[in-house]
Structure formats: structure tokens, C-alpha cells
Amino acid sequence: MTSQDIRTKFLEFFKSKSHLIVPSAPMVTKDDPTLMFVNSGMAPFKEYFLGNNTPKSNRIADTQKCLRVSGKHNDLEEVGYDTYHHTLFEMLGNWSFGDYFKKEAIAWAWELLTEVYGIDKDILYVTVFEGSDDADKLPMDQEAYELWKTIIPEDRILMGNKKDNFWEMGEQGPCGPCSEIHVDIRSAEEKAKIDGKDLVNKDHPQVVEIWNLVFMQYNRRADKSLENLPNKHIDTGMGFERLCMVLQGVTSNYDTDVFTPIIREIEAITNTDYGKDEKIDVAIRVIADHVRAVAFSIADGQLPSNTTRGYVIRRILRRAVRYGFTFLNKKDPFIYRLVDVLTKKMGNAFPELKTQKQLIENVIKEEEQSFLRKLEQGLVLLNRIVENAESKEISGSKVFELKDTYGFPEDLTELILREQGYTYNTGEFERKLKEQQGRGREASELKLDDWTVLLDDEEQEFIGYDALEADVRIVRYRKVSTKKEGEMYQLVFNLTPFYAEGGGQVGDKGYLQDTNGDVLYILDTKKENNVIIHLTKDLPKRLNDNFKAVVDAKQRFRTECNHTATHLLHQALREVLGTHVEQKGSAVHSKHLRFDFSHFSKLTVEELRDVENFVNARIDGKLPLEEQRSVPKTQAIADGAMSLFGEKYGDTVRTIRFGKSIELCGGTHVKNTADIWHFKIVSEGATAAGIRRIEAITYDAVKDFYFENNRAYFEIRDLLNNTKEPVKAVKALQDENADLKKQIEHLLKDKAKNVKGELKNEIDEVNGVNFIAKKVDLDAAGIKDLCFELGGEVNNLFALFGANTNGKAILSCYISKQLVAEKDLNAGQIVRELGKYIQGGGGGQPFFATAGGKNPSGIDEALEKARDYI
């Protein structure tokens, strides 16, 4: 049975049980601050479990892309070393929101596994929650036990502890006992030696959990106590890759047809054989796994970067590159070449791989090239550390610096050091790493109190498209605190005119006024699990009062100008550059906008001008806003509305049209393009391979821009004696400056020749070496010329020159190549050591090197110490 058949049978089975089949949500979470990526099948449905939204059906089934590389669920370091952990994996799941419960979930799971998939009943074991004696005092899940007894022999129903058989969404929120289904695919000989039930949950690679049935019946409060949920829910998750392993009769996930096409391609590209050498096998498994995680992340809108989610993706990709570099001897980019076979294998189930294929390949290739350059740089730095080492144990701080600053992995450092007979101080390295991780955790740690409910209001209404103020009541509130922001409060209203951050648009600011006229400022508005949350520094004095909620109209209007401009800009780019252009992200603020898009090259001056002119023509055309709410998505797409990659849309959508520009959008906009006044691009550049970024301004920001430019223009004219042609005048100054520089260079060279004649008379012979250490009045280029001219005329020369140039210290060391070879002297090492006297450092080649520092007063002492080397 192919993996495609296995996936299809699962979905068809639950469709026959009246489940609505929904597509996988994007892996990159949009409005859940507790998650960077979807890490379980239930994550996209949190708002339903929390009661913040109503699902389209009380029964849902899907296959969900998941990524586990950070936080509580982090499998990254196991990936490659065993055969069943992955960064990206598919989770097959069926869900009940207040509909069926344990009886149906257990019966259907057994029916699917044994009757539809035909798994031998005798190789299956199940676990049931045994209860807990801790503060929760939870009873054993007797109901689940009794249900399983009707299906499977009691000796294969095992008791599971709280760690394995009580599932929690997080520190707070819905939770409940669970039943895991495990499979034993060992050989008959192995089964005869050890009973399978003794290996359940013992990390045996052939006795693994394949399905977890979670019975959501409690809510975990902030004080850690449990309360019953109003409705009971079912949340199941089955590992697709493990299921394929079982059904395809292999003992490793990597031997299934999910991975074998990728592995064969890696073998072909790297000229290696999988299955003959464990180190090579681990490297191939790492790469096969990681390319999936990176490709799906990019397809869902997350590019590698140096911050948060982007850093996680960059780290995964670099781990793959490093394994190829170290164990497969690949010193050039190759992982991007695997995207083609991945797309052919999974593109039908996940069409985003097909639509984003070129972008995925471009981004991965550029990231590979960049990191390979860093690896080369790291090797040079590591060699310098070894050269200067005073013992066979390298400082752990140095190894940490290589990792933290240059991205050079510590295990690669350890491997290279070991080959040269060195070790490093692992304790010191671990301390540095923990300090860094601790700082990151403290800065980002979010503490949440429980919600205090003031009013029973299940549905919160957003009225901000039509009004900027409203009479509201506070429905609930809670205190939140972080190291960065301190204590704040989150308020939820029964209705709100405040737009919550989303779709690239910032959240509204404004104020809340009570009946006594007291004002409380709203600092930001966000959406969490479908709830609009207003952030304040304090609570109102009278929480049950009636309030007037007022949006900052000026900021909202500026933001709307910029948001509408992004739509016009998108249209302009597709018109000027071609229909291959797709939006890849945006940030809409009140003062400026940022727009990322797919394009293969830098925009020319003419193209930028054409884009600006196109947008401004639509502004001058005074195009009215045509808004449609609650339009069927299929109809909107048929009408030509553009949807954005990585966004999650419902069955009904909102469309925004200005002339021929029409997009699916939930943000706020001006009523007429004339309101924008003018559009001005202020920068254009690359953010990743095939991704360009335009930053622009509108409305009064453009007025300020032109005012500042006009002021600068008149100041320049004034400096140029009010010339009528300032451009020609500046060009003349540049030409004159270039001529003067050439003259100065010639004068300095002549000066160096004169100095050379004087210095030759000051050379001393020390231990058969012609030695000179002298302070000179030359710049760095002049000193270099002096060194090489002296070196051409004087044999066995050791020269060290110092200079003070504009308050900066320079040291330059020249050693004849014969001396370098005979006396084992190294100019680079010498200037690094002498650089401490000028509070600086440097390096170079063994025969010539320079150092710079900020302490010119140390030059004389450095020159005195030079004699010690010979």
C-alpha cells in the first residue's frame, strides 16, 4: 500500500463516519503567541476547544503538517540517529467538538487499523491512564479500560502514567486522559525472547506508538487546578510516517516510500550508498528529513532568517548542510536539488509545494551557499585558535563564540579538534550556552493569569470597518507579564471597533473612557485564538461600568493609506514586472509600509519609476473602495480575487477592490484612493533568494519626505554658492577630490622612498637577522610599500613599523620569506600578540601582516617588544 493510498483511506474512512475533511492548515501560526509552528494536529483547532469559535462541523478529519523543533515538543536532536523521529511529520487526526466521545473514538480507531488497514490484532497494545496521586488526584480512566476490554485481551491493555497518558495543551487550557495504540513489528524470534508489553514506551524502534486518542474533558487553570469542560471533545493524532512503516512491512520510517525517493536522490548526488556506513546513514536521514521541514516552511511563508521562526528554519537547514559537509564530503550546494523529487512525491497532497517550488529551490540554494562560506570562515578562525593555544584543551568560550557569532557547530569543532589531538572545555561551553538560553527564556517568558469573567458573552463582534468608537462592556480580563514589557492587562469587550493585528496590518491604539470621564489608554490590539484582545497597562477603576472605546483615528487613517497602497503596489508590480510576482509578506504601519514579493532580480531605476507612476495614477484616478463581506471563497477566487500564500481562509471571505485590484483581505482601507495623496518608494532590495522588498510611504509621510529633501537641496546649493546647477558642481568637486587623492598617493610614495633611504641606515643585525622597529609618519598603504621595497633590497629582514593615523594605531610586520621558513616566524601571529599593546588585533600572512588598535600610546612598547622574537 503506497503512502498516498494510506492517506486517502484514512480520510475516506472518517468521511464515511460523517466527518468534514479539511485541508492542512499552514504550519506557521498567525494568532497564537504560545506557538511558533503547528506542533500537533489539534493546534489549528485550539479556538474550538477554547470555545472562542464555532467549527464548520462538530466532526472533522484531516492530515496536518506539523513541525517539532522548539519548546516542549522538540525532536530535533533525535532526528537521524533513530528511525522514527522527525522534524516535519504528518499527523492524521479525527476530531469531535462536543459530539461523540470515548466509545466511538476507540471503536473507530480499532476498526480502521484492523479491518481497513488489516493490521494484525495480535501485534497491537493499548495504554490507559492509570490515575495520579499528585495534587490533581485524578482517577484511573475506567471508562476507557472497559471499552477496550470489549475489543482487545486484557493482558494487552497497559496502565500508563501521567507523563504518557495525560495530554495537556500547554501550561493552561483543555486537557484530559488519553489512550495510546502501540504496534510491535519485531521479528518472531525477538518476540519470543521479550514480550512486547514490556517494551511499550521504552523507546524501542520497532515497538512504537502510532495513534493517540485524547479525551478532552478538563481545563487546566493558571493556579494548576483542574475544572470540568462544559463539553467533552475528542482529539486524536496518528503518525503518518510510522503508520506507513507498519503497513509497508519495513522497520524504519526512512524505508517507506515517504522517504526512499529522497534518499535515492541523495545517494546519486553525493555518490554514497545508504545502509553500509552508520555515519553516512545518519547524515542521509538528517538531510532527507530536514529538506522536508525547510521546504514546507518556505511554502507556508516562513523564510530562513536570524529571528524567531526564521532562525529555527535556518538552523534546521544548516544542520543538514553541516551533515553533508562533514560526512558526505559535499562542499557545494546540493540540498536544493532534492526539492524536485519531494514535490513529485508530495505535491498532489500538498499543492503549495508545486506553486512555490522555484522559490523553495532558490532560497535553499542561497542559504546553502551562505552557510558554506561561513563554514570556510569558521575553519580559518578555528585554525587560528589552535595556533594560539597554550595547551591541548581549547577554551569553551572560544568554541561558543564560533557557534554563536559565526554559526560554526560545536560538534564539527569537536571533530576537527579531535583529528588534531585537541579537546575543548565542554563545561565552560555549556555554561555559556545555558546563560544565553536563560537570557532568551527570561526575555520571552509569558506568565498568564486565568481569565476573570465579568459577563457571559460567547460571541465578540468586530465593528471596526464601520465605526471608530462604540459603547462597550468588558466581558473578561486577565493579567499578563513578561520580562520585556512588565505587567499588562488583556481586556476583551462584547464588541469592539479596534482592529487586531493581522494580515500584516498593525493593531489599533486608542483609549477607553468610563462614565466619570476617566481615560485608560489601549496600547495595542491583538488576536489570540480568534479573540480580539486589547492591551493596557492598568485596569479600569470600575470594571463593570459602561465604557466608550475610541480608536486613534489619525493613526488608523495613516495605516489605511499604507494598507491600500500595498494592494495597488501588488497590482503595479505584476503589471510592470510580470504575473510571476507574488506577495510574500507585508508590514503595514501608520508611518510606512513594507512589501515583500517574488522576483528574480533587482528593479531598475526605470522599473521603480514605472511602479511608482502606476500606483500614483490609481491614486489620481480617485478609485472608490468596493468591499464585499461574507462572499463564498470559491466565488471570490472565480471573480479574480488574489489570495496570499500561507494564509488560512474560511469558506466565506471579504474582498477588497480598487479598480482592477481585487484581493481577499480582512484589513481596513481608505474609502477612496485619493485619500492616500501620494505614494513614494524609499528603498528596494533583496531579503532572500528570489525575494525582493520595497519600503514606501504615503500621505503626510510623503509630504515630510519631500520637505526634508527640499531643505537638504537648498542647504547643498547654499554650500555651493547658490549655483544653478548643483549636480554639475558636485560632480566637479568629486573629480577634483579624485585628482587630489592621486596627487597625495604620489607624494606619499615619494615620501616612503625618502624614508626608506634613512631607515636602511638604522637596520641592526641581531642573531643573523636584519632588524628594524620604528615609528613612521605614513598611512597603511605607505607603510606596506615601504616594507616591500625594503624587503626587496635587504635580505633576512624583520621589520615592524608603527604609525598614528587620525588617532588610530597601526602596526605592520614584514618578515623575509627565508626567515619565515628557517626560524618558524609568523608575521600574522606576531601582530596579533603585539596588538594587545595598542588595544586591538589583526592578522595576515606569515611574511606580512597588520594590526589596528585604539591606543596609539602603546605603539612604542609594541616596537620595543619586537626584538624579543629574534
Side-chain angles (χ1 to χ4, degrees):
M1 196 182 303
T2 68
S3 56
Q4 181 62 44
D5 292 336
I6 293 167
R7 187 188 291 114
T8 300
K9 281 182 180 294
F10 177 89
L11 298 175
E12 286 178 347
F13 175 81
F14 279 103
K15 187 175 183 181
S16 74
K17 305 296 183 185
S18 303
H19 285 64
L20 174 68
I21 308 303
V22 298
S24 172
M27 283 195 311
V28 182
T29 57
K30 296 291 184 181
D31 64 346
D32 185 348
T34 67
L35 289 177
M36 286 202 290
F37 300 97
V38 169
N39 64 356
S40 66
M42 63 77 59
F45 305 118
K46 270 178 81 170
E47 61 193 72
Y48 306 140
F49 287 118
L50 292 167
N52 297 334
N53 203 356
T54 303
K56 290 177 281 189
S57 168
N58 287 333
R59 297 183 180 188
I60 285 176
D62 71 348
T63 178
Q64 174 63 45
K65 301 169 291 186
C66 302
L67 196 65
R68 286 190 178 175
V69 287
S70 61
K72 176 183 174 184
H73 300 290
N74 186 353
D75 296 336
L76 182 60
E77 297 308 320
E78 284 84 15
V79 173
Y81 288 92
D82 65 27
T83 58
Y84 55 95
H85 278 105
H86 302 289
T87 50
L88 175 123
F89 60 94
E90 284 185 64
M91 188 167 277
L92 304 169
N94 58 289
W95 321 90
S96 166
F97 305 106
D99 189 4
Y100 62 84
F101 201 47
K102 295 179 186 179
K103 180 180 178 181
E104 294 85 351
I106 289 172
W108 290 339
W110 191 254
E111 179 186 350
L112 177 63
L113 291 178
T114 61
E115 297 179 24
V116 177
Y117 287 136
I119 297 175
D120 184 353
K121 298 176 182 180
D122 293 335
I123 68 170
L124 294 173
Y125 294 87
V126 299
T127 61
V128 171
F129 180 52
E130 66 184 7
S132 67
D133 294 327
D134 58 12
D136 290 334
K137 300 293 182 187
L138 289 164
M140 170 197 166
D141 192 351
Q142 191 68 40
E143 181 185 359
Y145 187 84
E146 296 299 327
L147 289 167
W148 279 118
K149 269 174 53 178
T150 65
I151 292 174
I152 190 171
E154 284 189 68
D155 64 343
R156 283 192 277 123
I157 305 174
L158 311 176
M159 292 297 106
N161 59 27
K162 195 172 183 180
K163 175 179 176 291
D164 292 324
N165 281 83
F166 192 86
W167 199 94
E168 305 204 40
M169 183 187 292
E171 295 294 325
Q172 295 168 241
C175 54
C178 60
S179 275
E180 298 172 337
I181 304 175
H182 296 255
V183 63
D184 181 359
I185 56 173
R186 294 174 300 150
S187 66
E189 292 79 12
E190 289 174 306
K191 290 176 182 176
K193 292 176 186 176
I194 303 176
D195 197 327
K197 66 183 179 183
D198 295 327
L199 297 174
V200 168
N201 278 328
K202 296 293 191 298
D203 290 327
H204 191 288
Q206 276 93 52
V207 183
V208 294
E209 172 201 340
I210 56 169
W211 207 347
N212 191 13
L213 315 179
V214 181
F215 313 125
M216 293 277 199
Q217 58 191 89
Y218 302 110
N219 179 54
R220 175 76 70 184
R221 294 174 56 82
D223 63 5
K224 305 306 177 190
S225 64
L226 291 175
E227 61 184 4
N228 289 320
L229 287 171
N231 295 302
K232 295 177 179 179
H233 311 291
I234 287 295
D235 157 18
T236 85
M238 177 155 55
F240 174 68
E241 293 80 6
R242 294 184 184 183
L243 179 63
C244 290
M245 175 181 69
V246 174
L247 296 179
Q248 293 180 6
V250 294
T251 56
S252 163
N253 289 0
Y254 292 93
D255 291 336
T256 67
D257 72 341
V258 177
F259 287 98
T260 50
I262 303 173
I263 288 174
R264 285 196 295 269
E265 189 71 11
I266 296 171
E267 289 177 301
I269 292 172
T270 62
N271 195 29
T272 55
D273 292 316
Y274 183 69
K276 293 185 177 180
D277 182 292
E278 182 59 20
K279 288 184 178 179
I280 289 175
D281 290 355
V282 169
I284 289 176
R285 287 196 291 266
V286 166
I287 294 162
D289 172 274
H290 288 9
V291 69
R292 294 180 359 128
V294 174
F296 273 101
S297 298
I298 295 170
D300 278 350
Q302 183 55 65
L303 300 176
S305 70
N306 284 329
T307 57
T308 57
R309 294 180 178 89
Y311 177 74
V312 172
I313 303 307
R314 176 165 283 168
R315 182 183 172 209
I316 296 171
L317 180 53
R318 287 183 171 183
R319 188 171 188 259
V321 173
R322 197 259 302 164
Y323 271 88
F325 182 91
T326 305
F327 300 106
L328 306 183
N329 198 34
K330 287 301 293 180
K331 307 297 192 273
D332 56 319
F334 75 98
I335 294 172
Y336 75 97
R337 294 165 61 183
L338 305 175
V339 174
D340 184 58
V341 68
L342 173 65
T343 302
K344 287 175 181 175
K345 182 65 190 172
M346 302 187 73
N348 289 334
F350 301 98
E352 60 270 27
L353 286 178
K354 290 182 177 179
T355 59
Q356 303 296 326
K357 179 173 176 285
Q358 189 63 57
L359 172 68
I360 296 167
E361 290 176 336
N362 289 345
V363 171
I364 291 178
K365 185 177 182 180
E366 184 173 277
E367 283 289 317
E368 286 188 86
Q369 290 171 331
S370 173
F371 186 50
L372 286 167
R373 287 193 295 269
K374 282 185 175 288
L375 285 176
E376 290 177 6
Q377 183 184 11
L379 287 170
V380 171
L381 293 169
L382 183 55
N383 287 336
R384 287 182 186 172
I385 291 170
V386 171
E387 284 175 11
N388 295 326
E390 296 178 356
S391 71
K392 287 293 183 178
E393 184 181 69
I394 303 298
S395 159
S397 296
K398 292 286 186 184
V399 176
F400 177 77
E401 184 182 351
L402 278 174
K403 174 187 175 72
D404 189 47
T405 307
Y406 301 100
F408 202 74
E410 70 275 13
D411 48 358
L412 182 55
T413 300
E414 183 180 23
L415 178 67
I416 294 168
L417 290 176
R418 190 165 61 244
E419 289 172 352
Q420 299 182 43
Y422 286 81
T423 60
Y424 73 92
N425 189 321
T426 55
E428 187 179 354
F429 174 85
E430 290 297 331
R431 282 195 299 275
K432 287 283 185 182
L433 186 61
K434 285 179 180 176
E435 286 173 12
Q436 182 198 56
Q437 292 170 341
R439 288 192 297 270
R441 275 194 298 269
E442 286 178 11
S444 61
E445 187 177 2
L446 179 68
K447 294 181 181 177
L448 298 170
D449 282 4
D450 284 318
W451 287 106
T452 298
V453 178
L454 302 177
L455 286 174
D456 186 14
D457 190 331
E458 293 183 0
E459 187 172 349
Q460 181 192 34
E461 184 183 359
F462 172 64
I463 62 169
Y465 295 137
D466 305 307
L468 293 182
E469 61 179 70
D471 294 327
V472 304
R473 300 285 303 276
I474 299 176
V475 173
R476 51 179 160 147
Y477 71 91
R478 68 180 175 186
K479 184 168 72 174
V480 299
S481 58
T482 63
K483 184 91 170 178
K484 184 179 178 182
E485 303 290 345
E487 288 188 354
M488 296 188 75
Y489 292 89
Q490 296 179 343
L491 311 181
V492 177
F493 306 149
N494 58 328
L495 56 86
T496 181
F498 283 76
Y499 179 82
E501 178 182 331
Q505 180 176 332
V506 296
D508 280 335
K509 297 180 180 180
Y511 64 88
L512 199 63
Q513 187 175 38
D514 65 17
T515 52
N516 287 348
D518 292 334
V519 169
L520 183 71
Y521 289 101
I522 294 173
L523 306 177
D524 201 357
T525 311
K526 295 183 180 294
K527 183 177 280 191
E528 294 183 12
N529 299 308
N530 205 47
V531 175
I532 297 175
I533 292 170
H534 310 79
L535 281 85
T536 65
K537 284 299 284 185
D538 301 292
L539 284 175
K541 295 174 183 175
R542 291 166 293 280
L543 287 161
N544 292 305
D545 205 347
N546 292 311
F547 297 91
K548 178 181 283 187
V550 182
V551 174
D552 183 332
K554 193 171 184 180
Q555 176 170 292
R556 165 74 85 85
F557 178 72
R558 288 169 170 166
T559 304
E560 289 175 340
C561 288
N562 285 328
H563 197 160
T564 300
T566 64
H567 285 221
L568 301 179
L569 174 58
H570 194 185
Q571 182 190 9
L573 289 167
R574 289 173 64 86
E575 184 73 24
V576 174
L577 303 178
T579 54
H580 65 279
V581 169
E582 290 183 1
Q583 181 176 339
K584 298 299 179 187
S586 66
V588 180
H589 298 266
S590 60
K591 294 182 179 179
H592 58 87
L593 66 93
R594 188 185 74 218
F595 190 84
D596 295 347
F597 58 99
S598 56
H599 187 56
F600 46 81
S601 62
K602 180 178 177 60
L603 272 68
T604 65
V605 173
E606 291 76 17
E607 287 170 335
L608 287 170
R609 185 190 61 228
D610 290 345
V611 169
E612 264 190 12
N613 289 343
F614 185 98
V615 174
N616 283 316
R618 272 76 199 152
I619 294 171
D620 293 342
K622 301 180 180 179
L623 304 176
L625 165 66
E626 297 178 49
E627 175 197 24
Q628 284 189 300
R629 302 178 192 174
S630 300
V631 181
K633 182 185 172 185
T634 51
Q635 178 189 324
I637 298 297
D639 290 342
M642 296 188 66
S643 58
L644 305 184
F645 79 125
E647 288 291 336
K648 182 180 176 182
Y649 296 102
D651 292 335
T652 58
V653 294
R654 175 173 176 258
T655 64
I656 296 296
R657 180 193 289 272
F658 289 97
K660 293 182 179 179
S661 166
I662 177 170
E663 295 190 17
L664 306 185
C665 182
T668 64
H669 290 270
V670 295
K671 302 302 180 187
N672 190 292
T673 58
D675 296 337
I676 301 172
W677 189 75
H678 198 72
F679 170 84
K680 176 66 184 171
I681 295 173
V682 294
S683 72
E684 187 274 341
T687 62
I691 302 292
R692 309 296 300 179
R693 171 172 293 174
I694 280 178
E695 294 182 338
I697 51 177
T698 64
Y699 190 56
D700 51 6
V702 178
K703 298 176 185 178
D704 293 340
F705 174 85
Y706 283 127
F707 176 81
E708 286 300 316
N709 276 272
N710 204 39
R711 182 183 58 77
Y713 170 77
F714 281 105
E715 286 181 1
I716 291 169
R717 277 194 60 189
D718 188 47
L719 290 171
L720 297 171
N721 296 319
N722 287 314
T723 176
K724 293 181 179 179
E725 295 184 316
V727 175
K728 286 186 178 180
V730 170
K731 181 66 170 62
L733 283 174
Q734 288 178 326
D735 293 340
E736 183 181 348
N737 188 48
D739 290 338
L740 290 172
K741 280 185 176 180
K742 289 179 182 177
Q743 291 178 36
I744 290 170
E745 286 174 10
H746 288 307
L747 289 171
L748 287 173
K749 283 188 177 182
D750 290 341
K751 184 177 180 180
K753 288 177 182 177
N754 294 333
V755 171
K756 180 188 71 176
E758 297 171 6
L759 293 178
K760 282 177 72 173
N761 297 325
E762 298 184 35
I763 294 174
D764 293 336
E765 185 178 329
V766 181
N767 294 329
V769 175
N770 289 316
F771 173 82
I772 184 169
K774 188 80 175 176
K775 196 171 182 180
V776 294
D777 185 19
L778 293 170
D779 65 2
I783 294 174
K784 184 177 181 180
D785 290 339
L786 172 63
C787 286
F788 281 92
E789 288 198 19
L790 273 176
E793 299 177 16
V794 180
N795 294 326
N796 290 346
L797 178 65
F798 181 112
L800 181 72
F801 296 116
N804 180 349
T805 60
N806 300 319
K808 302 287 185 181
I810 297 174
L811 291 176
S812 294
C813 182
Y814 176 91
I815 305 174
S816 297
K817 291 186 178 181
Q818 184 181 350
L819 284 178
V820 171
E822 292 177 356
K823 294 189 177 288
D824 195 26
L825 293 169
N826 187 310
Q829 185 174 338
I830 289 168
V831 295
R832 278 197 297 273
E833 293 170 358
L834 295 178
K836 64 185 179 183
Y837 295 105
I838 59 170
Q839 296 179 18
Q845 296 171 296
F847 59 89
F848 180 75
T850 61
K854 58 184 180 182
N855 180 29
S857 62
I859 293 174
D860 291 336
E861 190 174 1
L863 294 173
E864 288 176 16
K865 296 290 182 182
R867 191 178 293 265
D868 295 344
Y869 289 96
I870 56 172

